[in-house]
Amino acid sequence: MQNSSSAADAGHKPASPRVAGSRKNVGRAVVILASLALLVLLLIQILYTTGATASGFADWRPILAAYLFWAVGIGVGQVVIRGERGLRALFLLPAVFFTVAVVIFPTLFGVYIASLDWNLSSLEGPRFYGFNNLIGLLHDTYYWNALGNMIFYTAAVLGEYAVAFGLALLLNAEIRARKFFRVVFLLPMMLSPVAVSWMIGKSLMEYRFGPAATLARYLGWDNPAFFASPWMAWLSIEAMDAWVSIPFIMIILLAGLQAMPKEVQEAAKVDGANGWQAFWHVTFPIMLPVSITVLIIRIIFKLKLADIVINVTAGGPGGATDTVSSFIYRVYRDRSNVGYGTGLAIFYLLLIIALLTLLLRLSNRWTQKVG
């Protein structure tokens, strides 16, 4: 028995340090060679695309093939270097490579395009422009006007949240036909914002024959132009966007209310708390994590607002309803300026990342303080 046990131990004897070291060196060599090959091919293609060299590939397909071989080389290198842990890492690597392919690379490529003077209406094609697009952005008053409008649109999310919370509390109460009202209140969310902009903005709120304008005249409003004055146009756009988006906030908050333990609310009633006290000291603090999550998601969607503005007002009157996304759309459509439009989008992306990072930190501190 001892001899067989010794033989089994000898069969599973770990590799010597010299063998393990040479194996790791081979794995590192595979990773380095694969990475160098990808970087060299990518550099050649970039130089060829910018006109710096006369040799290169007709399209980017060889770079895609090199990227796939690089991914395989990274996987093989991880297994050779790390052994069993490398095998476990293989389950994570596809998600990492997918993120690099569809998020990181397009972003870097967008930065590259933002450095070009690329006008689709020009016969010269793209040429390197350096930081001139950024300089032009800093002096573009229309772009900064759109950024200022986004402050008002983003602040309006708090009003949407208040209305949605009230509806969620109503639908969570014991009222008649609450299942019917839940379905009815969700209907706007099922519609496309483009359809809403045409049905409401272009039809219902039309100045001459729209039902809303006709009703406003009947009630005494002599000039019911919903999109003529800046503030009225902004409020009309916000009303349409809120009508589409409030059901989403409501359904998330309603799910959170239904998940709340009933014992906590009953204890508040036993302690003599009225409705407002029970909401402010019990319901709202418990719902705070859900509220912050849905607010962050809604702000992200609000920062992308474009379709209703483009279809109804095209940013007017005088840029009062313009958003950054609608302005960038017009830069692409009217000016055909790919380089400048991409520069605007990259700059806006950086602002969004900074804003969301700040909001997440502040919300985390607030949650810990309340908790």
Side-chain angles (χ1 to χ4, degrees):
M1 295 295 291
Q2 293 180 353
N3 293 335
S4 60
S5 176
S6 301
D9 293 340
H12 295 281
K13 185 178 180 180
S16 63
R18 179 179 299 178
V19 175
S22 61
R23 185 184 63 191
K24 291 182 179 180
N25 291 333
V26 172
R28 294 190 186 99
V30 171
V31 172
I32 293 173
L33 290 176
S35 302
L36 287 177
L38 177 62
L39 290 176
V40 169
L41 292 177
L42 184 60
L43 180 61
I44 292 174
Q45 185 62 13
I46 291 175
L47 294 176
Y48 176 73
T49 304
T50 56
T53 60
S55 59
F57 305 106
D59 51 39
W60 286 78
R61 292 180 183 177
I63 307 301
L64 177 60
Y67 177 77
L68 295 177
F69 283 113
W70 174 75
V72 173
I74 292 294
V76 172
Q78 287 294 317
V79 174
V80 174
I81 295 172
R82 304 174 62 188
E84 186 66 27
R85 289 186 301 171
L87 287 174
R88 291 195 296 266
L90 289 180
F91 291 95
L92 181 63
L93 287 179
V96 174
F97 293 139
F98 183 78
T99 303
V100 171
V102 303
V103 177
I104 298 177
F105 175 76
T107 303
L108 296 177
F109 192 69
V111 174
Y112 158 71
I113 294 178
S115 66
L116 301 177
D117 180 16
W118 189 358
N119 197 314
L120 297 180
S121 60
S122 174
L123 299 177
E124 297 180 358
R127 59 187 179 88
F128 185 70
Y129 207 42
F131 293 99
N132 289 326
N133 283 328
L134 177 61
I135 296 173
L137 178 155
L138 296 176
H139 295 86
D140 194 335
T141 56
Y142 295 101
Y143 184 70
W144 291 103
N145 171 71
L147 281 174
N149 291 338
M150 293 309 304
I151 297 176
F152 295 101
Y153 283 118
T154 305
V157 172
L158 295 176
E160 298 175 10
Y161 166 76
V163 174
F165 211 142
L167 293 175
L169 290 171
L170 178 64
L171 295 180
N172 191 52
E174 296 294 335
I175 61 175
R176 290 184 178 182
R178 61 176 180 175
K179 293 183 179 180
F180 168 76
F181 287 115
R182 288 177 183 176
V183 176
V184 171
F185 288 155
L186 284 177
L187 287 178
M189 190 177 65
M190 302 177 188
L191 297 175
S192 168
V194 177
V196 172
S197 63
W198 280 97
M199 289 189 303
I200 299 180
K202 289 291 189 179
S203 300
L204 187 65
M205 303 175 73
E206 200 270 333
Y207 170 73
R208 295 170 300 171
F209 309 111
T214 303
L215 178 62
R217 289 191 186 93
Y218 178 77
L219 296 177
W221 188 4
D222 296 332
N223 185 24
F226 295 98
F227 306 104
S229 62
W231 277 103
M232 194 63 197
W234 182 86
L235 290 175
S236 300
I237 292 293
E238 171 56 31
M240 284 186 284
D241 185 55
W243 187 71
V244 176
S245 306
I246 283 177
F248 168 75
I249 306 175
M250 181 199 70
I251 198 65
I252 301 298
L253 294 174
L254 179 59
L257 289 173
Q258 292 182 337
M260 285 181 55
K262 302 296 182 182
E263 296 80 6
V264 178
Q265 298 175 343
E266 293 174 356
K269 293 180 180 179
V270 171
D271 292 338
N274 56 31
W276 171 252
Q277 291 173 338
F279 169 78
W280 186 250
H281 296 288
V282 178
T283 303
F284 184 75
I286 294 177
M287 288 288 295
L288 191 58
V290 179
S291 299
I292 290 175
T293 301
V294 75
L295 280 173
I296 294 296
I297 295 175
R298 179 64 191 121
I299 288 174
I300 293 174
F301 280 98
K302 178 69 79 172
L303 292 172
K304 299 188 296 182
L305 176 62
D307 33 24
I308 295 179
V309 175
I310 292 171
N311 286 308
V312 179
T313 64
T321 60
D322 218 353
T323 65
V324 175
S325 298
S326 65
F327 177 72
I328 294 174
Y329 167 78
R330 290 203 308 277
V331 169
Y332 279 107
R333 184 194 64 184
D334 301 336
R335 305 184 194 176
S336 300
N337 198 330
V338 177
Y340 184 60
T342 305
L344 298 178
I346 293 296
F347 185 77
Y348 188 46
L349 174 63
L350 295 177
L351 291 180
I352 290 176
I353 293 174
L355 173 64
L356 293 180
T357 301
L358 178 62
L359 289 177
L360 289 174
R361 289 188 177 182
L362 293 177
S363 62
N364 186 35
R365 292 181 181 178
W366 190 29
T367 304
Q368 292 177 355
K369 183 178 179 180
V370 173

